[in-house]
Amino acid sequence: MTKHQLVLDVAGVLITNMSPLFWNEIAELSGASNNAFKSMFNLEIRELFWSGILSEEVFWQWLNEKSSAIEIPHARTVLFKHLQTLPAFEHIPKWSQHADVHLLSNHREEWLLPVLRPIVPYLKSMTISSVVGCCKPDAAIYQVVNSKLEPNIQVIFIDDQEKNLKVPQDLNWSTIIADQEGKWIERIQYILENNQA
């Protein structure tokens, strides 16, 4: 049986997105407004950090430089506290029976691997921005994933952000937005179990 190629984002799809909970707690520690740190991160280091040009240590130093009230060991604890699995995580073993499961994430490998370890045996591939050196929605990162997919097989891509769907659509992948209510999970189960596109 030909398997679908199922490509999943990670944060906001399989695990909680570190934003806004992480940034809100960091802001509280520093006495800043809720959006201050996230805005500074996006403006100053986001792309360099997610693409792996800047090291993880640079991120923690950057936080500490923004506010000396933020102690790095505690900030690490806050981060991992907010990296929790979402309902779809538990479906990966079953989905892998019907599809080759690939992950595509703007994230840090050193942050994701401890959380993803239970499902790694069920994955066909992982493409993490900090490893490959580029981020969604840059077309280059989708091409990296595309090179790992079985050719001429239906590809289904799930992401929680609309801006990340355009390039996959240009590649003729089917795209589904991961809604917060989790309705997309039932849709995927139906597609896979009924071998539909």
Side-chain angles (χ1 to χ4, degrees), residues 29-125:
L29 289 171
S30 67
S33 67
N34 282 355
N35 293 326
F37 276 95
K38 184 182 177 186
S39 297
M40 287 187 289
F41 172 77
N42 288 341
L43 183 65
E44 297 177 19
I45 67 169
R46 176 191 176 278
E47 190 166 344
L48 293 173
F49 181 62
W50 288 139
S51 63
I53 295 169
L54 298 180
S55 69
E56 181 194 11
E57 198 53 45
V58 168
F59 171 76
W60 298 119
Q61 291 170 358
W62 175 84
L63 267 184
N64 186 249
E65 287 168 6
K66 294 300 176 186
S67 173
S68 58
I70 299 172
E71 298 177 355
I72 293 174
H74 182 63
R76 286 181 193 271
T77 301
V78 170
L79 171 76
F80 283 102
K81 179 178 75 174
H82 292 302
L83 294 180
Q84 302 295 319
T85 60
L86 293 170
F89 190 92
E90 304 301 326
H91 292 278
I92 296 301
K94 185 175 182 181
W95 289 351
S96 71
Q97 297 172 18
H98 302 279
D100 290 336
V101 181
H102 305 263
L103 302 188
L104 168 57
S105 182
N106 287 353
H107 225 293
R108 299 293 303 196
E109 181 182 45
E110 57 268 66
W111 294 355
L112 284 185
L113 288 184
V115 185
L116 296 176
R117 192 166 287 118
I119 63 167
V120 167
Y122 303 100
L123 304 177
K124 190 77 170 182
S125 76

